[in-house]
Amino acid sequence: MATNLSAGKEPLAPTGEYPHLDAILRDDLFRPIVRMNAVGIPEFPMFIGGKWLYGERTMGVHTPIDGSVVAAVPQASEGLARAAVDAAVEARRAIRDIPGAKRVELFEKAARLLREHFPAFREALLLEAGKPHHDQEGETKAAVERMLYTRAEASHIYGDYLPGDWANDTLGKMALVIREPLGVLACITPFNYPLFIPTAKIAPALVAGNTVVAKSSSTTPLSLLLLARVLETAGFPPGSLNVATGAGAVVGETWVKDERVRMVSFTGSTEVGRRLHAIGGLKRFHLELGGKAHSMVYDDADVPMAAAKSVEGACKNAGQRCDAVSAVVVVQDVLEEFLEEAAQAAQKWKVGDPRRPETKMGPMISERAAARVEGLVAEATAGGAKVLTGGTRDGTYFSPTVLRDVTERMRVAREETFGPLVPVLAARDEEDALRIAQTTEYGLDSCVFTRSFERMWRAAKRIQCGEVTINDLPKHGIGHFPFGGRRESGLGREGIGYSIEEMTEPKTIVFNLGPR
Ligand code: NAP
């Protein structure tokens, strides 16, 4: 097999023009809310109680393309974070008074607006998250689709009729179990899908009649602010959605500790999720946390397909996905074939400046994140693993990397990698592969490649995680299939209909029908 598949020598990082906001500033919907600060940086306000508020203190939004500052946003204080909750409490009545069908129409209008303003959203995703064209397109379209799905979701907000005559103590009675909104929800979201993840929380929350306080990662606050502008314009009442920017430890913690907030819907790291759960008290938690998806490749698999899909699972969004494939366990008999195919597949993932049309994989979110991945690779190679292709870093840019001779003890085999790494471990047989794939505390996703139905079924039943994918990479997509984690990967399920279930609570209404 070809073993000398080292990365090409072209630079990974961008060359050329300084990135700047352009589509957003030319857009009539967004231009009125952006002002230029004293040093000529576009400054965005927060959205609280239907008002756009600039901050006394601001923080820069650095693009991962080259580290330059492309915008500034406010750094909300605890007081402002509480003001967002005040506004959300105040607006509870207003949103509930809008009939369900009308709420759905508001989302349909918002979806149309989002589509009309695609260039601005794509620019936000390019600049704040470094997404190449294909990924910008995919995420904006997914956000539109998620909004349009609220019509289907609304059909899950029905209840039950329970006749009382099946138990002696309820004879002569009947009950209706209805689903009611919880009240104020806090939605706290990560950097990797800064438009889609907030949309996937805010849409079911509002359509179910809740009000929302939301914040995105401080590295990627712009997409959510643009989304708030769209929802405001679509006609959601003031205070129904409030968006604050600023440190999670200040804004997020203020919301999580606030007793008026009835649910926290959090997507992010296990470490932060655990902390929020510990400080939140008696409220509902929906936690979408880290993952460590193993891809298992058996000796009867379509090996080229398994290699291409495993590499795609590892490299999509520069590996910064909770559902990323972050270790591949290959049965010995097909190991060499898999490695050759995987190395070739990885080399097709062209990494570079996301503004270039040919780029398939852009930068990682920060130099720190890329250096962490570099450290994982260095530690693995020091322990005996070999780099088949990739393994190079240029600032925030990390080349797609296939590692062979990875052992179970290496961190790269056990931890969430969150970078474009394909660590390959050898297994003796199916049983050994199943054992290795369970040596993780996470329990979000895994996938298996085999042609045998019995083996598919065995893997699906044995692997302890929220979603097992057969003959494909794990993909949460827009949530048509529900997803969520076990153990260190979190609590609850997200997805069309499933989110609504989490964001409403049942109320039992008992009717005494009198003596028969
Ligand atoms: P993160 O560091 O945990 O941050 C997530 C959010 O939490 C951000 O908005 C952050 O705000 C906020 N935050 C941080 N510290 C906080 C605190 N003490 N109190 C309240 N909020 C706080 O995660 P990330 O690096 O952005 O995202 C990567 C992680 O998300 C990975 O582990 C990935 O697996 C996970 N993820 C999971 C799923 C899923 O569906 N299971 C999906 C996507 C991502 P600041 O930025 O302002 O600190």
Side-chain angles (χ1 to χ4, degrees):
M1 75 170 270
T3 46
N4 188 19
L5 291 168
S6 62
K9 294 284 174 255
E10 346 166 9
L12 304 175
T15 48
E17 227 184 279
Y18 192 79
H20 59 278
L21 299 181
D22 181 29
I24 295 173
L25 296 179
R26 276 192 286 113
D27 189 309
D28 289 344
L29 185 62
F30 303 118
R31 197 178 42 244
I33 62 164
V34 186
R35 72 181 185 191
M36 288 294 164
N37 72 10
V39 289
I41 302 284
E43 185 182 335
F44 287 70
M46 297 180 289
F47 185 55
I48 295 177
K51 295 195 172 67
W52 290 96
L53 306 174
Y54 292 95
E56 280 170 20
R57 296 179 59 213
T58 60
M59 57 189 191
V61 180
H62 296 256
T63 178
I65 295 175
D66 63 5
S68 55
V69 176
V70 291
V73 293
Q75 263 191 295
S77 59
E78 277 179 35
L80 270 167
R82 266 195 298 276
V85 181
D86 295 344
V89 169
E90 182 82 8
R92 277 183 313 181
R93 189 68 190 268
I95 188 101
R96 286 185 194 200
D97 283 351
I98 301 176
K102 179 89 175 114
R103 280 182 230 147
V104 168
E105 279 170 25
L106 293 179
F107 272 111
E108 288 170 346
K109 186 168 175 202
R112 274 199 304 279
L113 280 166
L114 206 158
R115 210 185 268 125
E116 281 164 29
H117 297 272
F118 259 9
F121 281 96
R122 285 217 305 265
E123 184 175 81
L125 293 171
L126 166 72
L127 294 184
E128 68 181 355
K131 301 209 178 204
H133 190 270
H134 178 267
D135 295 350
Q136 300 156 26
E137 190 89 358
E139 189 166 350
T140 38
K141 284 187 172 158
V144 166
E145 215 179 325
R146 189 66 181 81
M147 285 186 187
L148 293 176
Y149 260 103
T150 53
R151 184 168 286 286
E153 294 220 83
S155 67
H156 291 261
I157 319 179
Y158 295 156
D160 290 316
Y161 153 71
L162 301 180
D165 59 346
W166 293 95
N168 287 329
D169 65 343
T170 51
L171 274 179
K173 294 180 180 172
M174 65 110 167
L176 294 179
V177 183
I178 61 169
R179 294 207 76 90
E180 292 193 324
L182 292 168
V184 179
L185 259 71
C187 299
I188 303 175
T189 54
F191 74 83
N192 56 348
Y193 289 93
L195 173 62
F196 180 75
I197 295 178
T199 306
K201 292 184 186 304
I202 292 165
L206 291 180
V207 88
N210 298 289
T211 58
V212 173
V213 291
K215 89 169 276 311
S216 184
S217 164
S218 292
T219 43
T220 55
L222 304 182
S223 301
L224 175 54
L225 291 168
L226 302 188
L227 178 67
R229 178 70 167 164
V230 157
L231 294 176
E232 176 197 24
T233 311
F236 281 93
S240 50
L241 169 65
N242 306 277
V243 176
T245 52
V250 177
V251 177
E253 292 209 8
T254 302
W255 291 345
V256 173
K257 287 177 187 159
D258 193 317
E259 290 186 356
R260 298 170 298 166
V261 172
R262 298 312 309 144
M263 176 176 172
V264 176
S265 180
F266 171 80
T267 301
S269 61
T270 301
E271 185 191 356
V272 174
R274 272 189 173 282
R275 165 151 182 83
L276 300 187
H277 197 239
I279 64 173
L282 279 181
K283 52 173 59 85
R284 195 173 290 188
F285 273 91
H286 177 210
L287 302 175
E288 292 289 345
L289 309 179
K292 177 81 190 169
H294 285 78
S295 168
M296 290 173 289
V297 182
Y298 293 166
D299 55 6
D300 65 340
D302 174 339
V303 176
M305 186 263 271
K309 288 193 178 284
S310 299
V311 168
E312 184 185 350
C315 293
K316 257 168 86 92
N317 207 30
Q320 302 168 118
R321 294 162 60 235
C322 56
D323 48 354
V325 166
S326 60
V328 188
V329 188
V330 186
V331 167
Q332 195 70 52
D333 297 358
V334 290
L335 180 65
E336 295 305 322
E337 184 189 355
F338 178 89
L339 288 169
E340 185 158 1
E341 294 283 347
Q344 283 171 10
Q347 290 181 339
K348 291 186 187 141
W349 280 77
K350 192 156 177 44
V351 59
D353 187 331
R355 292 168 294 178
R356 291 191 197 127
E358 70 276 15
T359 295
K360 204 163 170 191
M361 196 176 94
M364 297 192 60
I365 193 65
S366 64
E367 193 149 351
R368 188 159 158 246
R372 182 185 155 271
V373 171
E374 189 178 35
L376 285 174
V377 173
E379 203 178 298
T381 50
K386 292 181 192 68
V387 175
L388 271 189
T389 185
T392 52
R393 178 173 79 85
D394 188 349
T396 49
Y397 294 76
F398 204 91
S399 55
T401 301
V402 180
L403 286 169
R404 66 171 300 165
D405 302 334
V406 172
T407 62
E408 287 167 56
R409 297 172 74 102
M410 294 173 183
R411 273 203 307 143
V412 79
R414 287 181 286 109
E415 286 185 14
E416 183 174 46
T417 46
F418 237 59
L421 298 188
V422 188
V424 183
L425 294 94
R428 284 187 302 281
D429 51 22
E430 175 191 349
E431 194 56 37
D432 197 32
L434 281 169
R435 181 191 61 75
I436 296 171
Q438 309 251 46
T439 51
T440 169
E441 290 305 309
Y442 292 108
L444 190 60
D445 282 280
S446 65
C447 60
V448 60
F449 292 89
T450 173
R451 290 185 169 98
S452 150
F453 182 76
E454 278 170 35
R455 287 173 153 186
M456 294 171 191
W457 186 242
R458 244 189 325 262
K461 296 290 280 182
R462 289 267 295 277
I463 299 284
Q464 294 301 308
C465 66
E467 186 173 329
V468 180
T469 301
I470 317 286
N471 289 330
D472 203 355
L473 56 134
K475 275 185 249 184
H476 294 169
I478 65 155
H480 182 63
F481 299 142
F483 61 90
R486 297 184 181 182
R487 304 189 301 281
E488 295 292 295
S489 290
L491 301 171
R493 290 294 174 271
E494 205 159 283
I496 312 292
Y498 288 78
S499 300
I500 287 271
E501 189 102 343
E502 304 264 350
M503 293 173 172
T504 54
E505 60 187 342
K507 178 187 273 175
T508 306
I509 304 169
V510 179
F511 292 82
N512 186 357
L513 303 173
R516 294 181 155 215

